[in-house]
């Protein structure tokens, strides 16, 4: 086995030390980057999760209307035109909507990707872009929908909860000419429909400050 000379060993030692230092710095940077990417998943992040059936106060039928929401805040994560930093209300997650028509014996389903979430104590508003539909004739594919939730906590209401939900169609978001209006980010009506099965949990958090330049 060939032994290194003293100068060579010093050079090798310095090289190894530099590599170790570089690896440590790289590892720290990766960890820091990963921490930043997952920061919105921490317990303090605003979020809404749950699934429920609702009834419409102004309709008497046997239809089953269900909404599942799993959304969490991801501030400044969605670059937008003229707003490259994103917004404090940016969010991620999934919304699933199901409507079973008793008269037609057909179940219409859709799924959307959450893009915006804003909360207050016991309340939340979320919007999502519809990416999947069971029936294209509904015309909802590619459109933004808005949902609002009131988390009534334990006690009161059917199923032991007093939760409520609102959504941005069925006549609550119309233009002066009677046609449906487009839905803006985080826009939805007040939660007007009582929950009759299931429920939602809202975790409120203040909007994140602007990122440092």
């Amino acid at each position: 086995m060939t032994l290194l000379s003293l100068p060579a060993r010093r050079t090798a030692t310095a090289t190894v030390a530099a590599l170790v230092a570089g690896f440590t710095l790289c590892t720290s940077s990766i960890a820091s980057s990963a921490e930043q990417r997952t920061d919105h998943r921490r317990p303090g992040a605003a979020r809404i999760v749950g699934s429920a059936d609702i009834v419409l106060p102004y309709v008497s039928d046997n239809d089953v209307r269900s909404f599942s929401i799993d959304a969490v805040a991801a501030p400044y994560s969605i670059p937008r035109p003229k707003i490259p930093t994103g917004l404090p209300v940016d969010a991620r997650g999934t919304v699933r909507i199901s409507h079973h028509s008793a008269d037609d014996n057909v179940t219409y389903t859709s799924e959307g990707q959450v893009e915006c979430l804003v909360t207050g104590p016991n309340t939340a508003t979320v919007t999502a872009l519809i990416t999947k539909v069971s029936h294209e004739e509904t015309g909802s594919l590619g459109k933004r929908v808005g949902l609002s939730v009131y988390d009534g906590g334990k006690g009161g209401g059917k199923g032991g909860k007093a939760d409520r939900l609102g959504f941005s169609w069925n006549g609550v978001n119309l233009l002066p000419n009677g046609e449906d209006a487009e839905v803006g980010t985080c826009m939805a009506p007040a939660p007007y429909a009582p929950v009759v099965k299931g429920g939602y949990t809202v975790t409120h958090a203040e909007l994140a400050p602007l990122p440092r330049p």
Side-chain angles (χ1 to χ4, degrees):
M1 180 174 65
T2 303
L3 298 177
L4 293 174
S5 64
L6 184 58
R9 277 185 287 175
R10 287 177 177 171
T11 301
T13 301
T15 301
V16 171
L19 288 173
V20 170
F23 177 78
T24 302
L25 180 60
C26 180
T27 303
S28 299
S29 298
I30 293 173
S32 176
S33 177
E35 183 179 8
Q36 291 176 0
R37 288 196 302 269
T38 59
D39 184 66
H40 65 280
R41 295 289 180 181
R42 291 178 176 177
R47 65 184 62 210
I48 174 175
V49 62
S51 181
D53 295 350
I54 59 99
V55 293
L56 297 179
Y58 52 89
V59 175
S60 178
D61 59 24
N62 294 315
D63 290 7
V64 179
R65 300 170 176 86
S66 305
F67 297 80
S68 295
I69 307 172
D70 185 358
V72 62
Y76 307 104
S77 63
I78 305 176
R80 303 172 188 273
K82 300 182 180 180
I83 313 177
T85 60
L87 297 169
V89 293
D90 289 345
R92 297 172 183 168
T94 305
V95 166
R96 293 183 175 89
I97 304 167
S98 174
H99 178 191
H100 175 75
S101 171
D103 290 342
D104 300 330
N105 194 27
V106 175
T107 299
Y108 301 90
T109 62
S110 60
E111 181 177 313
Q113 295 302 305
V114 171
E115 48 149 12
C116 190
L117 170 68
V118 63
T119 64
N122 304 318
T123 63
T125 300
V126 59
T127 50
L129 298 174
I130 298 299
T131 56
K132 297 179 182 179
V133 295
S134 61
H135 297 72
E136 292 187 4
E137 61 268 26
T138 59
S140 60
L141 185 63
K143 291 188 176 181
R144 177 186 286 126
V145 296
L147 303 174
S148 62
V149 165
Y150 170 69
D151 178 359
K154 295 181 179 179
K158 296 182 180 180
K161 301 199 74 174
D163 294 3
R164 303 177 71 88
L165 180 135
F167 51 91
S168 60
W169 59 97
N170 269 26
V172 298
N173 184 38
L174 299 179
L175 294 170
N177 62 6
E179 295 183 359
D180 286 332
E182 291 188 5
V183 178
T185 53
C186 275
M187 293 291 102
Y192 55 86
V195 165
V196 293
K197 181 181 179 181
Y200 303 98
T201 299
V202 174
T203 301
H204 169 57
E206 301 296 344
L207 294 178
L210 291 170
R212 295 179 181 178

